[in-house]
Amino acid sequence: MKNIKSQFPFLMNNPDVVYFDSAATSLKPDKVIDAVRYFYTNLSSNIHRGEYASSLKTEGFYEGVREKVGSFFNVSDKDVVFTKNASESLNMIATGFLRNILEKDDVILLNEAEHASNILPWYKIAEEKQAHVVFMPLVDGRVDLEILESHLKKGVKLMSIAHVSNVVGVIQDIEAISKLTHQYDTYLSVDGAQAVGHFEIDLAQLNPDFYSFSAHKMFGPSGVGVLISKHEIYEKMTPLHYGGGSNTRFDVLGNVTLKEIPYRFESGTPNLEGVLGFGAALDFIEDIGISNIEANENNLKQYLLDGIMKMDHLEVYNPYTDVGLVSFNVKGIHSQDVAFYLNHHNISVRSGNHCAKLMHGVLHTEDAVRLSLSVYNTREDIDRFLDVIRDITLEKTVDLYI
Ligand SMILES: Cc1ncc(COP(=O)(O)O)c(C=O)c1O
C-alpha cells in the first residue's frame, strides 16, 4: 500500500495523527473530495428536472454511480436505492416493508452484538404490531447455524444481522444464513455498514433480501447510504418519504402514481455531490483492488494482535476478529481514559459502547476501546500505538486531568 497516505489530505494536514477510527467513518481520498468539488464548480444542477446540459450531465453521473454500485455488489442497478445512511436504509425496511406484513406475536430475530441502528427500528415496529424481538446467542461473536435453525423452527418473520459487527469484527457467513432463513420463509436483512470496502461482497451469491450500508465508511462522503433489495420485495414496499421526483402524476382527488423502482423511493433532491463522491470512492477501491485492501488489512490486524496479545495489562475481547477491528480494555483503566490518553499521543481511537449498548451479552464488558484499521494505516502506525499502550498506567492517565 505504497503512497496511499499521500492521497488522504487529512493525513497530510495532520501528519502527527494516527487515525484508528475508520469503523466510525473512513478518511476521504483526494479523488472523492475532487468529485464533490467538481459537482459544485462544474455541474451545480438538479437532476430528473432539467432539459439543459448541466442537469442532464449531472443526471448521467448520478445514474452512472447507481450502475457502479450495482456492478460493485453484483446486483441490478434497478435494485439500488440511494438513502441518507445505513440507519435510514434499515428504517426503510422496518417501516416501509415489515410494517406491511408483520402480525401480532410474529418474531423478529436479532443478536446482542448489533448496533443501535439495527435494533431500534425493529423495537419500534414490534411495539406497534405487538410482535416480539428475540435475541439469538452467538458463539464467539459468530452465528451458529444449529442455534439459528432452532429459532427459525419456531417461526421468525425477519432476521436482521450485521455482516460484520462494529464491536466484534466477525464476518458472518451470510450465504449459509440466507440459505437457512429462506428454507423457513424468513426474510433476511443484512447490515453491511462495517463490511463494505473491506472485502469482496457478491450479493447475488450471498442472497440476502435486504442489504444496507453507508458510503462514508467506504471512503465516500457523509449523507449517502444505500439499500439493496429485490424487485419483488420493493413492489411490496411503501416509500419512507413522498414528494417531488418520486411520482409520475397526481390529481386533486389524491390519486398518486409513483415512478418505477428505484425512483419511487428517492423523493426530493438527492445528495448529488455525495453520490458523485461515492462513485469516486468506488473507483478508488477498484484502483487499489478490493482483494489487496483485504490482504493488507488482514496483515495489519495480525501484526496488531501479535503485539497486544503479549501485553498482560490488556484484555482483548475479540482475538478471533476477521477484520481490522479490535476491542480491548486496559485492566483497571476506564476505556474513555485510555482513549483520552491515546489522543494525548495523537492516536485516535473510539471508546465506550460504540452504539452497541447490548454488547456485554457478547463481549462481557459494558465498554471497550475499539481500534479499527483501514487502507491508509501502516505497521509504523501500529508500532506507535503499541509503544504508547505498553507504557500506559493509571497514574499517567490521571495526570492528564490535573
Ligand atoms: C454495524 C453498524 N450498523 C449501522 C451503523 C449506522 O451507520 P450510519 O450512522 O452511517 O447510519 C453503524 C455505524 O457505526 C454500524 O457500525
Side-chain angles (χ1 to χ4, degrees), residues 23-24 85-87 90 115 117 162 164-166 191 193-194 214 216-217:
N85 46 39
S87 303
L90 288 158
H115 186 279
S117 296
V164 175
S165 146
N166 66 313
D191 170 2
Q194 295 296 343
S214 296
H216 72 91
K217 294 195 199 273

Side-chain angles (χ1 to χ4, degrees), residues 13 114 239 293 326:
N13 294 328
E114 295 303 323
I293 291 179
V326 177

Side-chain angles (χ1 to χ4, degrees), residues 223-281:
V224 178
V226 171
L227 174 64
I228 293 175
S229 186
K230 300 168 179 179
H231 189 81
E232 61 278 17
I233 292 180
Y234 279 132
E235 279 184 326
K236 295 185 199 145
M237 203 155 159
T238 313
L240 206 55
H241 310 292
Y242 290 88
S246 64
N247 68 87
T248 49
R249 66 179 68 84
F250 55 90
D251 62 24
V252 287
L253 300 174
N255 299 307
V256 180
T257 310
L258 291 175
K259 275 190 180 167
E260 64 200 83
I261 298 161
Y263 310 106
R264 69 175 61 162
F265 299 109
E266 294 177 10
S267 275
T269 303
N271 183 346
L272 299 165
E273 66 278 32
V275 168
L276 267 50
F278 179 35

